[in-house]
Amino acid sequence: MLSTIAAAALPILIAMLLLGGVAKLATADGDAEIGGLGRLGPAVLAPQRFRKAAMIGCALGELGLIAVLLLLPDQAVARWMPVAFFSVATYVLWDLRRRRPDVGCGCFGEVSAAPIGMRSIGRAAVLAAMAVIVAIESPGYAALSSWSWMTTAWLAGGIALVLLLSTEIEETVSRLRHRAPCEQRAIPAKRALSRLQSSSAWRSHVPMLVSDEPADMWRELCWRFFVFPARDGADVVFAVYLSGRRPAVKSAIVNADGRPITPLQESMHVSA
Amino acid sequence: MPYRTVDRRRTLAAAVLGRDTEAPRLTADDGMTLDAVSGEILDVSPHLIIVEDDDGEERRMVIAPWATAWHGASVAPADLPVGARVVIRALRSGTVVDRIWANITRMTGVILGITGKRDLTIELDCGPHRGRRTVVVPYRTSGRIRVRHPQLEPGYLFDAIGLMDAGTALAHIPATSQPPYRAKAVPPPPPAFRGVQSKISGAAAWGDFTEPGVTYPMLESADADCEDTGQSCAGLPYLAVGSMLFVRNVCDGRANALPIIGCGCIAGRFCDRCLECGTSPRGRLVELSATSYVELGGDLIKGCFNARVGLG
């Protein structure tokens, strides 16, 4: 059973690594200089001059893992390398979501520009789980010789799961429909406001707002910002991502000096 | 939509999205900017010029032996009239004058009407934020203007550089070749299935405003308080007043981070190329203030430079 799943997981891992590596190499060139419009992946945490090298390094690492999966199934250290890669990727995406909520995961270059959500993190975790099964069974080339209908069914299920967790599909469809990326599409402010008002970030902040009318709003790339006056002279600022069916909504409370205020429940650590 | 200050927008956006409040610092490798001084001449001699700058400060500057001035034509700096409004390109931390443009003005807009037979008087719509203005094309320069503006008819675009003479704007030099389409028929940007480019190349022009910064055509109409915005053939992304833009003069290799200070509603309608060094891709990306343009190494009597912009 486990060997069947491993045989089905192997082509999925190879396809994801190949697509990711090639797409990153194609995108790396554009984001090298100061002021690049693309803000993609963990490379944004690196200093500006190392970003291109970081992205190319990651892409080459992914392409190298394909060779490891296919050619070195018998080497114990080598076959656990994809597990380490996808586990680290899951953690990095989780951390990046907290530190830079505006950046995309960059998993497939600039198509992965949507802010990191649970789906992107879930996909990395699923791939890590697949890599664990592959590492245990280490099918290598031999998987092709023992192909069965059951393997095909597992493969189809795996592909469906990965596609379900891929936000890139929505962005690709809307680009084909509108012939323009989100940054170039005119999107009415009212639509963004209604998306904001149906979000959980809005419901948690609405008691502290002085007015329901935004004091200021503006749009930058694929984000629309709304500022509402709050009690004690503070402002509550919301950022609504303008693409996707359930877009990301980020919020912050900023005092008059421009310093973010951490809400009490977030500033208290959970104690045993 | 009112907003308290534009800086506040940057602070709030940084707080909610975890960005750095400060734009990345430019280094010498990015290309250092020149110094530009804008003001009024109080006194001028062959070697020294005294200027009251826009902040009301008196500045005494040495005129370099190679320095030249423009006042409708090339003139010696000492021949500039006292009281003229000047833009000065300066070296050595703003103490040595390299180039002076006196009483220079830029006339960019949509032609509303033309009167006159020898000297032409053109009524221009300079956009919802700048209103209308009347410019005069003197007979002696009308041939030069007409060569680059074959459609001097209402509805077409007009862009010229000239001189302010006793409150009258006199067109001297065409700033660009007039686009062949009517102002309301701006070509659409090419389809961008690939996504927004990281850096966008095109032309950067200068405009008749003094506040340092740029005007940018792709603002949402709800944010810019006008319906004429959001037009550009360059495939620009939507940004807002207050966003920082990195503008690089590709010809001169100088770059600067400049805030967007308004809507470049008319600039976005120009789907022209800049031929300052090579041929730029189509589309006017930004319109810089005269001093910001000079700081980036631009020459005011040439209407544009090849530029590359990115977000700060």
Side-chain angles (χ1 to χ4, degrees):
Chain A
M1 180 70 172
L2 209 58
S3 62
T4 314
I5 301 173
L10 185 66
I12 295 175
L13 288 179
I14 289 170
M16 296 299 277
L17 288 168
L18 186 67
L19 281 173
V22 171
K24 282 192 188 76
L25 283 180
T27 311
D29 207 28
D31 210 26
E33 288 178 59
I34 285 183
L37 289 168
R39 286 170 158 68
L40 293 172
V44 295
L45 298 178
Q48 191 83 39
R49 61 183 185 278
F50 298 129
R51 282 184 192 175
K52 185 177 177 181
M55 215 171 205
I56 290 174
C58 185
L60 294 179
E62 287 183 34
L63 296 176
L65 285 177
I66 297 174
V68 167
L69 281 168
L70 286 176
L71 303 177
L72 302 171
D74 302 329
Q75 300 281 329
V77 176
R79 70 173 190 249
W80 284 95
M81 279 165 69
V83 179
F85 175 80
F86 285 114
S87 308
V88 169
T90 309
Y91 169 74
V92 168
L93 290 183
W94 181 270
D95 191 48
L96 193 62
R97 182 171 181 251
R98 188 177 55 82
R99 290 169 67 175
R100 287 295 302 269
D102 60 327
V103 300
C105 78
C107 313
F108 296 99
E110 53 92 30
V111 187
S112 311
I116 298 166
M118 290 313 290
R119 285 168 75 190
S120 307
I121 297 168
R123 182 176 59 190
V126 164
L127 291 174
M130 287 182 183
V132 168
I133 297 169
V134 169
I136 292 169
E137 289 296 320
S138 61
Y141 272 125
L144 295 172
S145 58
S146 58
W147 198 264
S148 66
W149 281 109
M150 189 57 91
T151 319
T152 311
W154 275 104
L155 177 66
I159 291 173
L161 182 62
V162 169
L163 289 180
L164 197 70
L165 295 172
S166 297
T167 49
E168 290 82 3
I169 305 291
E170 287 158 29
E171 178 59 25
T172 310
V173 167
S174 48
R175 273 189 198 178
L176 290 171
R177 221 174 90 202
H178 300 282
R179 297 185 169 203
C182 168
E183 290 86 343
Q184 289 177 16
R185 293 199 292 270
I187 297 165
K190 276 184 184 171
R191 195 191 301 170
L193 188 60
S194 64
R195 280 175 177 176
L196 167 66
Q197 287 170 341
S198 61
S199 70
S200 59
W202 171 263
R203 285 191 293 277
S204 63
H205 287 91
V206 79
M208 68 178 72
L209 302 184
V210 174
S211 161
D212 281 354
E213 282 294 309
D216 189 14
M217 64 170 181
W218 69 97
R219 175 178 177 182
E220 201 174 278
L221 300 176
C222 211
W223 291 95
R224 182 164 275 285
F225 299 88
F226 295 95
V227 182
F228 291 86
R231 287 197 289 268
D232 304 328
D235 283 324
V236 178
V237 54
F238 295 97
V240 182
Y241 196 67
L242 299 174
S243 184
R245 276 181 292 116
R246 295 183 62 193
V249 177
K250 307 288 175 190
S251 61
I253 309 165
V254 182
N255 68 12
D257 304 335
R259 290 197 202 98
I261 302 167
T262 314
L264 197 59
Q265 62 268 33
E266 284 180 28
S267 64
M268 284 193 304
H269 294 287
V270 178
S271 63
Chain B
M1 177 65 56
Y3 50 90
R4 278 181 277 176
T5 65
V6 163
D7 288 340
R8 180 79 175 160
R9 283 189 171 181
R10 279 201 288 279
T11 310
L12 294 172
V16 72
L17 294 183
R19 295 177 185 163
D20 292 331
T21 320
E22 293 293 319
R25 201 171 287 274
L26 289 163
T27 61
D29 294 339
D30 298 312
M32 300 303 284
T33 54
L34 295 162
D35 285 303
V37 177
S38 162
E40 197 173 294
I41 299 180
L42 297 178
D43 195 12
V44 63
S45 69
H47 305 294
L48 190 75
I49 186 168
I50 304 170
V51 175
E52 185 182 301
D53 68 15
D54 290 339
D55 298 330
E57 279 183 39
E58 190 179 301
R59 297 183 63 154
R60 303 167 78 86
M61 304 167 81
V62 175
I63 299 174
W66 62 84
T68 54
W70 187 88
H71 189 242
S74 278
V75 294
D79 294 341
L80 294 173
V82 171
R85 272 207 61 80
V86 286
V87 179
I88 298 172
R89 182 168 71 206
L91 310 171
R92 308 261 170 196
S93 310
T95 55
V96 177
V97 173
D98 179 46
R99 182 99 168 94
I100 308 173
W101 297 270
N103 289 331
I104 194 166
T105 184
R106 176 108 183 210
M107 310 142 198
T108 309
V110 182
I111 301 171
L112 293 174
I114 299 177
T115 52
K117 287 201 170 167
R118 266 179 73 83
D119 292 351
L120 301 174
T121 304
I122 303 178
E123 177 91 2
L124 289 180
D125 175 7
C126 302
H129 306 283
R130 293 188 201 154
R132 295 180 175 192
R133 79 186 284 198
T134 305
V135 303
V136 175
V137 183
Y139 178 70
R140 66 179 184 280
T141 61
S142 61
R144 199 188 304 171
I145 297 286
R146 275 185 181 280
V147 165
R148 303 281 293 275
H149 289 80
Q151 307 274 6
L152 277 185
E153 291 171 29
Y156 283 90
L157 290 158
F158 182 83
D159 192 9
I161 293 162
L163 200 65
M164 287 304 293
D165 186 12
T168 308
L170 303 173
H172 276 67
I173 315 162
T176 184
S177 292
Q178 185 187 38
Y181 50 83
R182 285 181 177 273
K184 288 193 172 167
V186 182
F193 299 111
R194 195 183 161 272
V196 168
Q197 293 165 307
S198 176
K199 294 273 184 169
I200 297 156
S201 296
W206 65 277
D208 236 0
F209 54 95
T210 51
E211 194 182 347
V214 302
T215 62
Y216 182 79
M218 278 306 260
L219 307 179
E220 282 262 27
S221 54
D223 301 347
D225 274 343
C226 72
E227 289 300 316
D228 290 354
T229 184
Q231 298 249 9
S232 170
C233 70
L236 293 170
Y238 278 102
L239 293 174
V241 171
S243 303
M244 289 296 276
L245 269 186
F246 274 99
V247 183
R248 171 174 286 276
N249 179 349
V250 178
C251 305
D252 221 25
R254 298 175 198 279
N256 204 0
L258 296 163
I260 295 174
I261 55 169
C263 173
C265 308
I266 295 294
R269 293 178 185 276
F270 282 87
C271 193
D272 52 357
R273 298 178 192 271
C274 188
L275 307 173
E276 193 52 29
C277 58
T279 307
S280 78
R282 279 189 193 283
R284 203 169 276 192
L285 309 178
V286 288
E287 202 174 45
L288 295 101
S289 70
T291 48
S292 300
Y293 182 87
V294 170
E295 281 170 353
L296 284 171
D299 186 348
L300 292 181
I301 59 170
K302 292 173 180 165
C304 63
F305 58 70
N306 300 26
R308 196 160 70 230
V309 301
L311 188 64

